Amino acid sequence: SYLQTSLSIWGWGSLGLVLFLVTFGPFAIFYFAFYILCFVGGGFVVTLLFGKSNSEKYLEQCEHSFLPCTSVGIPKCIEEMKREARPIKIDRRLTGANIIDEPLQQVIQFSLRDYVQYWYYTLSDDESFLLEIRQALQYALVQFSARSKETDWQPYFTTRLVDDFGTHLRVFRKAQQRIAEKGDQMKDQAEELVDTFFEVEVEMEKEVCRDLVCTSPKDEEGFLRDLCEVLLYILLPPGDFQNKIMRYFVREILSRGILLPLINQLSDPDYINQYVIWMIRDSNCNYEAFMNIIKLSDNIGELEAVKDKASEELQYLRSLDTAGDDINTIKNQINSLLYVIKVCDSRIQRLQSGKEIDTVKLAANFGKLCTVPLDHILVDNVALQFFMDYMQQTGGQAHLFFWMTVEGYRVTAQQQLEVLQSRQKDGKHQTNQTKGLLRAAAFGVYEQYLSEKASPRVNIDDNLVAKLAETLNHEDPTPEIFDDIQRKVYDLMLRDERFYPSFKQNVLYVRMLAELDMLKDPSFRGSDDGEGESFNGSPTGSINLSLDDLSNVPSDETVQLHAYISDTGVCNDHGKTYALYAITVHRRNANSEEMWKTYRRYSDFHDFHMRITEQFENLANILKLPGKKTFNNMDREFLEKRKKDLNAYLQLLLNPELMKASPALAHYVYDFLENKAYSKGKGDFARKMDTFVNPLRNSMRNVSNAVKSIPDSLAEGMTKMSDNMGKMSERLGQDIKQSFFKVPPLMQKTYSDPDHCRVAAPIDDNVDDNIPLRVMLLLMDEVFDLKERNQWLRRNIKNLLQQLIRATYGDTINRKIVDHVDWMTSPEQVADAVKRFRDAFWPNGILAETVPRRDKAIRMRTRVAGKTKLLEVMPDELKHIIGAETTRKGILRVFEMFQHSQLNKRMVYVFLERFLETLFPQNKFPELFNKLHSRSKQMQRYKQRLHSTQAPSLQK
């Protein structure tokens, strides 16, 4: 039935559709659909109109109801949103100086662009957040600038920076000493040095240690975040600081975007080495200084880098196809490179094997050393120190001290009399007062060294002593009153086998030669069991052979040395024409044979001849050097004749009988024939020693002239100064006795060990106006470690120079220091520093990419170049005052200190902390830094050790 019903429905429906199409046509279906759509649309429009009218009526009724009014803020907010965006105006004033504000604004703009905007614009186009960050940064900079203008920067730059640097150097020196005491058992000496450094730091600082900040990157970032947040708390308004999102963004920009990269760059040893080279770029590298650095180097990486570069240059020179005059130059360069490679190989082998040569034993084996006359020792402060130590050991110190005291008395008396004569010419008379002072000084010398009560007493002819006493009692004292006895004492020290003759055979004499730069190799360590490099008796310090070269010096008959001039030529160097002689050298011994060529000028022969004839007087009658010729000295026939004469000179010089007669001559000859650039001396031996003596004589002469030329208005003050100088001899003797006989000093020693406290701590309570100058002199003492051994004379000379500077130029120096600090903090210099920072981080306005770390070989060669530059600029006057070896060690110690990035970071953070303490003196930054560094492991160990050492005493 269901099937039948379905068929009937489909049947009737089909019939109806067919009838509809037959009746109305095929398009009737479209008309029908259109009518239905119009019906539905009309109904929707009618409903909408009806609803609108009813809604309006309802709203009119609501307006007259008792409901509260809508909020006023909503219409205002809608109105603000409808307004067009106005341009943002930024106040670009920061410091009040346009030359500073402009680069600072660029730094702020670049920082926001590269650290915030690049990701912020992907989240929102609203710039109000960026504006708040920028305004916060500018407000902080304005507050920072205001604080800076109110701060007196002179103590920071002239005292605290010097103090911190000197303390850092002292900690490094003590750490090196502890490493040396432990020996060579450490696997990683650099890491051990860093750990030992921070151990010493906590012992010296007592309350703080920066090991975590300097060695752990994570702790360093946390320290900088905390520090930046404290600074923002100080510099920002309270409302801005409470905005955590903005504060965190600014903190991250300052700590990770600016401070951390800057500190990493300043702490990079390679960056420091490049900066050192740039600072002294005007000085040319000296061959002798370069070779000294190679022989002093204890870093195998440095030696291998230099060797590889020399080998590379050697291959390039050998590949050149040259002829004519250039071939001699290239051969000379090849020989020099071969010598450098040889020295590097020798030094590397010695470091790897751990074998070193004891310089003192080597010097003793050679027998004869360079002879320094006693009169030169007594007037050279460096040499006198060693002679003084020796005289103390032998019990003859009283003779030396008497001689020195008489010298001081003579100089003082002469100055007193010159001042007296000048004042008498002006009509002023103080004869009795001056003579009284001289008489008191003379009696003081007599009572201290010659009287029966003197202890120790100078043992001299009693007749001379009685004659002197008679003169003192009945005549006015003169500067020459002690001359007879002084000459007797001098002869006694010169001829008595206990004194000067034995001193020349003592270890102290060898050390003295090293300090005077009169040993061959400057790597001499100056200790009985110290490991030195080599030795030579050159009085000019110009002989610089390698260790192996020195070991093969012909010191016995088994070594044979032959040399002859094989060729000659004419060279033109920057317009100067000179003849050059090629010397072929053969050296034979039982195991090997060597041959090389070296090149010398006639002036080199002449300088060498002057040296050996002055050192070995008997050679002057044997060796005859060909004479000079002023005109036509480049003629070929003349050059051939001179070549023949110089060859005869060489053969006579190398005669075995002559060598046996003067054993020490071999070292001079070998240096002259070595394959290297010849370093000329300053002249004869006496002229070299005069370079030590003349500064003292000139300084005394200048003092005398200054006294004569003072105006009348200062006459009274200078008279007081002269009165004080009149007691110099008495004080001199007292100071000497205090140094060697343990007499209690005038000033009691404090309870703290100066070597375990900060550099400027001993003078913190001094209110002298010359504190900046005194701290700088104290820093010099720290750099060159003048307090390590008995440096009595050095400190006294330094104190004398300091007193002279204070008396004559002290105010001028202080004024110059103040002016220089003002110049450093001037707007121009601050602007220049900001521009350098901007250009370093954003060159050409683009964020600089991370500079890849340079190749290790390049960094090692940069280290060698930096050390060479430092030794090259080292003034000779400094060596004459404190000694060549001490000066060299001090310079290289400072350079070595900068080769550890962790230690450099420590110094940078110390400078930063002192800077903030100076800028914000009321904010208790020292306590804050102690808390920030309180998690130091070294600090915790130190407290444990301190507690363990105090516990037994507390129990007792």
Side-chain angles (χ1 to χ4, degrees):
S1 63
Y2 177 77
L3 181 61
Q4 292 178 355
T5 304
S6 300
L7 290 175
S8 61
I9 292 174
W10 282 104
W12 286 106
S14 301
L15 179 62
L17 180 61
V18 171
L19 292 175
F20 181 80
L21 293 175
V22 171
T23 305
F24 296 103
F27 295 99
I29 190 171
F30 295 104
Y31 295 134
F32 183 73
F34 176 72
Y35 295 151
I36 294 175
L37 182 63
C38 289
F39 176 79
V40 173
F44 179 76
V45 172
V46 172
T47 302
L48 180 63
L49 293 175
F50 178 77
K52 181 176 181 296
S53 60
N54 287 341
S55 297
E56 291 177 352
K57 291 179 182 180
Y58 180 76
L59 290 174
E60 289 178 0
Q61 293 177 0
C62 289
E63 289 180 359
H64 300 286
S65 67
F66 296 99
L67 294 176
C69 300
T70 58
S71 175
V72 182
I74 296 177
K76 287 188 177 182
C77 182
I78 296 174
E79 183 180 357
E80 289 290 337
M81 294 175 63
K82 291 181 179 179
R83 291 180 182 179
E84 296 183 0
R86 297 179 180 178
I88 300 176
K89 295 183 179 180
I90 301 176
D91 188 0
R92 304 183 66 85
R93 295 174 298 177
L94 297 174
T95 64
N98 293 331
I99 57 176
I100 302 178
D101 293 346
E102 182 179 353
L104 267 181
Q105 288 290 350
Q106 292 178 345
V107 170
I108 295 175
Q109 179 182 348
F110 294 155
S111 301
L112 293 177
R113 181 196 66 189
D114 295 325
Y115 296 115
V116 179
Q117 290 179 2
Y118 81 96
W119 59 264
Y120 177 76
Y121 282 141
T122 61
L123 303 177
S124 174
D125 294 332
D126 188 10
E127 296 188 356
S128 58
F129 176 71
L130 299 177
L131 178 61
E132 288 183 5
I133 293 181
R134 182 163 192 148
Q135 289 178 341
L137 286 173
Q138 292 191 171
Y139 185 86
L141 287 174
V142 169
Q143 297 298 317
F144 184 86
S145 173
R147 290 286 187 99
S148 300
K149 293 176 181 177
E150 298 172 357
T151 303
D152 182 12
W153 292 108
Q154 178 187 341
Y156 174 74
F157 284 106
T158 59
T159 303
R160 305 198 71 175
L161 274 184
V162 180
D163 174 22
D164 292 332
F165 179 80
T167 303
H168 187 83
L169 181 59
R170 176 176 292 181
V171 175
F172 179 76
R173 174 172 55 82
K174 291 182 66 64
Q176 279 188 323
Q177 292 174 354
R178 291 192 183 181
I179 294 293
E181 293 172 358
K182 293 179 181 179
D184 299 328
Q185 289 79 17
M186 289 82 66
K187 295 182 180 180
D188 189 349
Q189 190 168 356
E191 183 178 353
E192 182 72 14
L193 176 63
V194 173
D195 293 339
T196 307
F197 178 91
F198 288 109
E199 288 179 6
V200 179
E201 181 195 20
V202 72
E203 294 174 3
M204 187 170 295
E205 297 283 355
K206 306 297 184 185
E207 297 179 354
V208 65
C209 183
R210 303 169 181 85
D211 56 336
L212 283 182
V213 176
C214 300
T215 58
S216 172
K218 182 178 179 181
D219 291 300
E220 182 181 13
E221 292 178 5
F223 173 80
L224 289 177
R225 288 194 186 99
D226 294 340
L227 181 60
C228 290
E229 191 148 358
V230 171
L231 291 177
L232 293 178
Y233 174 78
I234 296 175
L235 298 175
L236 290 181
D240 291 342
F241 182 78
Q242 296 301 326
N243 187 341
K244 292 185 178 181
I245 298 178
M246 185 270 296
R247 186 177 82 222
Y248 290 161
F249 273 114
V250 175
R251 184 191 69 183
E252 292 300 315
I253 291 174
L254 291 177
S255 61
R256 301 197 52 164
I258 297 178
L259 288 180
L260 188 60
L262 179 61
I263 291 174
N264 288 335
Q265 183 177 15
L266 295 177
S267 305
D268 184 15
D270 189 49
Y271 172 79
I272 296 175
N273 295 339
Q274 295 180 63
Y275 190 73
V276 168
I277 295 175
W278 176 83
M279 286 177 58
I280 51 181
R281 59 190 180 277
D282 295 333
S283 65
N284 297 322
C285 286
N286 180 273
Y287 176 81
E288 183 176 352
F290 171 72
M291 294 308 302
N292 285 342
I293 291 299
I294 296 299
K295 297 166 191 175
L296 284 166
S297 176
D298 55 359
N299 189 309
I300 296 180
E302 293 180 359
L303 298 170
E304 290 179 343
V306 173
K307 175 187 172 183
D308 294 341
K309 188 64 176 179
S311 301
E312 180 183 339
E313 292 293 328
L314 185 62
Q315 293 178 0
Y316 169 75
L317 290 176
R318 285 175 171 171
S319 65
L320 295 178
D321 184 13
T322 58
D325 296 337
D326 293 338
I327 191 169
N328 292 329
T329 303
I330 292 178
K331 285 183 178 180
N332 196 12
Q333 293 176 356
I334 290 176
N335 290 334
S336 298
L337 291 173
L338 289 173
Y339 178 71
V340 171
I341 295 174
K342 178 182 176 182
V343 173
C344 291
D345 284 334
S346 173
R347 186 64 180 156
I348 290 173
Q349 294 175 4
R350 196 166 299 281
L351 289 174
Q352 291 176 341
S353 64
K355 296 180 180 178
E356 295 286 347
I357 292 180
D358 191 328
T359 307
V360 176
K361 295 180 181 178
L362 187 62
N365 291 335
F366 276 130
K368 281 195 173 182
L369 298 176
C370 175
T371 300
V372 182
L374 179 60
D375 56 342
H376 290 251
I377 292 176
L378 294 176
V379 295
D380 175 51
N381 59 299
V382 176
L384 183 56
Q385 174 215 344
F386 294 94
F387 188 58
M388 188 182 298
D389 292 341
Y390 176 78
M391 293 294 283
Q392 180 192 7
Q393 295 175 6
T394 58
Q397 63 270 29
H399 300 79
L400 177 60
F401 297 159
F402 171 76
W403 189 94
M404 294 170 58
T405 306
V406 171
E407 284 294 305
Y409 167 80
R410 182 187 296 108
V411 173
T412 305
Q414 289 175 351
Q415 292 176 353
Q416 291 272 1
L417 294 177
E418 289 177 0
V419 172
L420 178 62
Q421 293 175 1
S422 63
R423 294 177 64 82
Q424 286 178 345
K425 293 179 180 180
D426 298 335
K428 301 176 181 179
H429 301 283
Q430 287 185 342
T431 305
N432 295 332
Q433 180 181 0
T434 303
K435 291 182 178 180
L437 290 173
L438 292 180
R439 183 181 300 277
F443 267 107
V445 175
Y446 175 82
E447 292 292 336
Q448 190 168 359
Y449 295 103
L450 302 174
S451 67
E452 296 295 335
K453 300 179 181 179
S455 177
R457 184 174 184 270
V458 175
N459 295 321
I460 204 70
D461 189 359
D462 293 336
N463 294 329
L464 290 176
V465 176
K467 181 179 178 182
L468 174 64
E470 183 71 16
T471 303
L472 288 174
N473 290 326
H474 297 88
E475 298 180 12
D476 292 333
T478 62
E480 299 81 13
I481 192 171
F482 294 101
D483 284 2
D484 293 338
I485 297 181
Q486 188 186 31
R487 279 193 292 268
K488 288 290 183 180
V489 171
Y490 176 83
D491 291 338
L492 180 64
M493 291 190 296
L494 178 64
R495 306 183 189 283
D496 195 319
E497 287 295 330
R498 297 175 300 164
F499 304 142
Y500 177 68
S502 298
F503 173 64
K504 292 191 295 182
Q505 307 299 324
N506 193 272
V507 172
L508 291 172
Y509 186 78
V510 182
R511 296 180 185 175
M512 181 195 74
L513 294 179
E515 289 290 359
L516 295 177
D517 210 9
M518 297 169 70
L519 284 181
K520 184 212 118 326
D521 200 321
S523 60
F524 174 72
R525 296 293 187 255
S527 62
D528 290 2
D529 55 353
E531 300 299 333
E533 282 293 314
S534 54
F535 152 82
N536 191 289
S538 167
T540 60
S542 63
I543 300 178
N544 287 284
L545 312 182
S546 68
L547 244 169
D548 293 330
D549 293 335
L550 182 62
S551 301
N552 295 324
V553 170
S555 58
D556 53 49
E557 297 179 358
T558 62
V559 180
Q560 299 178 0
L561 192 65
H562 303 280
Y564 64 94
I565 300 177
S566 57
D567 196 9
T568 183
V570 178
C571 297
N572 191 302
D573 185 13
H574 300 287
K576 296 182 178 180
T577 304
Y578 55 88
L580 198 65
Y581 299 91
I583 307 175
T584 302
V585 184
H586 294 266
R587 184 178 62 184
R588 296 188 186 93
N589 56 27
N591 301 322
S592 63
E593 179 178 352
E594 293 183 83
M595 183 184 73
W596 66 86
K597 280 190 176 183
T598 187
Y599 300 88
R600 296 288 180 259
R601 299 172 57 178
Y602 174 80
S603 59
D604 299 334
F605 277 93
H606 184 269
D607 181 82
F608 170 71
H609 179 75
M610 295 296 295
R611 289 187 185 184
I612 61 175
T613 53
E614 289 158 3
Q615 184 66 17
F616 309 94
E617 297 180 357
N618 59 320
L619 296 181
N621 299 325
I622 301 175
L623 296 174
K624 300 298 181 183
L625 187 70
K628 295 183 179 181
K629 184 178 180 181
T630 306
F631 302 102
N632 297 326
N633 53 7
M634 295 295 115
D635 183 68
R636 191 65 188 177
E637 295 181 1
F638 172 76
L639 293 179
E640 288 296 330
K641 181 180 182 302
R642 174 172 281 180
K643 171 185 172 183
K644 181 179 178 181
D645 295 339
L646 290 177
N647 257 325
Y649 177 85
L650 277 178
Q651 302 314 312
L652 182 59
L653 181 66
L654 296 174
N655 187 291
E657 298 299 328
L658 185 63
M659 289 290 187
K660 290 181 182 179
S662 303
L665 177 63
H667 311 304
Y668 295 86
V669 175
Y670 192 87
D671 173 71
F672 180 72
L673 298 177
E674 181 57 58
N675 179 22
K676 64 175 184 179
Y678 182 70
S679 179
K680 295 182 180 180
K682 298 181 180 180
D684 57 290
F685 179 71
R687 283 201 300 271
K688 175 176 177 60
M689 294 307 300
D690 283 342
T691 59
F692 299 119
V693 180
N694 286 337
L696 295 176
R697 293 175 178 170
N698 293 336
S699 63
M700 300 310 298
R701 189 180 299 113
N702 292 336
V703 171
S704 177
N705 294 336
V707 172
K708 293 180 182 179
S709 59
I710 57 173
D712 292 339
S713 59
L714 298 179
E716 183 177 355
M718 291 305 296
T719 300
K720 295 181 180 179
M721 179 180 177
S722 299
D723 295 343
N724 293 331
M725 292 178 66
K727 302 178 182 178
M728 174 186 289
S729 59
E730 181 180 355
R731 293 200 307 268
L732 185 64
Q734 292 174 354
D735 291 341
I736 293 171
K737 291 184 66 175
Q738 289 172 10
S739 299
F740 291 94
F741 299 109
K742 309 302 181 183
V743 177
L746 295 178
M747 296 182 62
Q748 295 297 326
K749 185 177 179 180
T750 58
Y751 68 93
S752 62
D753 185 359
D755 209 32
H756 288 79
C757 62
R758 299 180 59 84
V759 168
I763 60 171
D764 283 343
D765 297 332
N766 198 313
V767 295
D768 189 8
D769 293 336
N770 271 329
I771 283 183
L773 179 59
R774 295 178 68 243
V775 173
M776 294 176 68
L777 292 175
L778 189 60
L779 177 60
M780 171 185 168
D781 193 32
E782 193 64 37
V783 169
F784 299 107
D785 196 13
L786 300 182
K787 297 180 180 179
E788 181 183 9
R789 301 186 304 272
N790 173 26
Q791 301 288 338
W792 174 85
L793 192 56
R794 297 184 185 184
R795 289 197 299 269
N796 276 274
I797 289 181
K798 185 187 69 174
N799 293 335
L800 175 62
L801 293 175
Q802 182 179 358
Q803 294 294 335
L804 292 175
I805 292 173
R806 284 181 177 178
T808 54
Y809 306 107
D811 295 338
T812 304
I813 290 180
N814 280 348
R815 193 179 308 114
K816 288 182 178 180
I817 291 176
V818 174
D819 293 342
H820 187 70
V821 171
D822 293 340
W823 174 79
M824 290 172 60
T825 55
S826 63
E828 292 79 9
Q829 293 302 312
V830 174
D832 186 62
V834 175
K835 290 178 181 178
R836 288 199 301 268
F837 174 80
R838 177 199 62 191
D839 297 337
F841 280 79
W842 291 278
N844 299 321
I846 302 174
L847 182 64
E849 298 180 357
T850 302
V851 179
R853 189 174 178 83
R854 300 202 306 169
D855 182 69
K856 181 181 178 181
I858 298 177
R859 289 185 278 116
M860 291 295 104
R861 288 196 292 270
T862 304
R863 286 182 57 168
V864 175
K867 288 191 283 188
T868 304
K869 286 276 191 178
L870 286 177
L871 284 187
E872 176 64 22
V873 299
M874 183 175 59
D876 291 337
E877 292 78 10
L878 188 60
K879 294 189 293 185
H880 298 161
I881 294 175
I882 64 175
E885 185 69 9
T886 300
T887 305
R888 188 181 297 111
K889 285 183 178 179
I891 294 295
L892 294 182
R893 181 187 296 114
V894 174
F895 184 86
E896 180 63 26
M897 182 183 67
F898 288 112
Q899 304 311 306
H900 305 273
S901 59
Q902 299 95 329
L903 307 189
N904 295 338
K905 279 190 176 182
R906 188 263 178 192
M907 186 166 58
V908 172
Y909 280 117
V910 169
F911 288 166
L912 178 61
E913 292 171 10
R914 297 295 179 268
F915 175 82
L916 295 177
E917 292 173 10
T918 305
L919 189 63
F920 305 102
Q922 305 298 328
N923 294 101
K924 299 181 179 180
F925 265 98
E927 299 178 6
L928 172 66
F929 289 130
N930 290 344
K931 293 181 180 179
L932 293 179
H933 295 300
S934 60
R935 295 189 301 109
S936 166
K937 296 179 180 179
Q938 294 287 355
M939 194 69 194
Q940 296 174 1
R941 295 173 189 169
Y942 174 74
K943 290 182 178 179
Q944 291 176 358
R945 292 196 303 268
L946 191 64
H947 178 72
S948 61
T949 55
Q950 291 178 349
S953 60
L954 293 177
Q955 293 176 359
K956 292 180 181 180

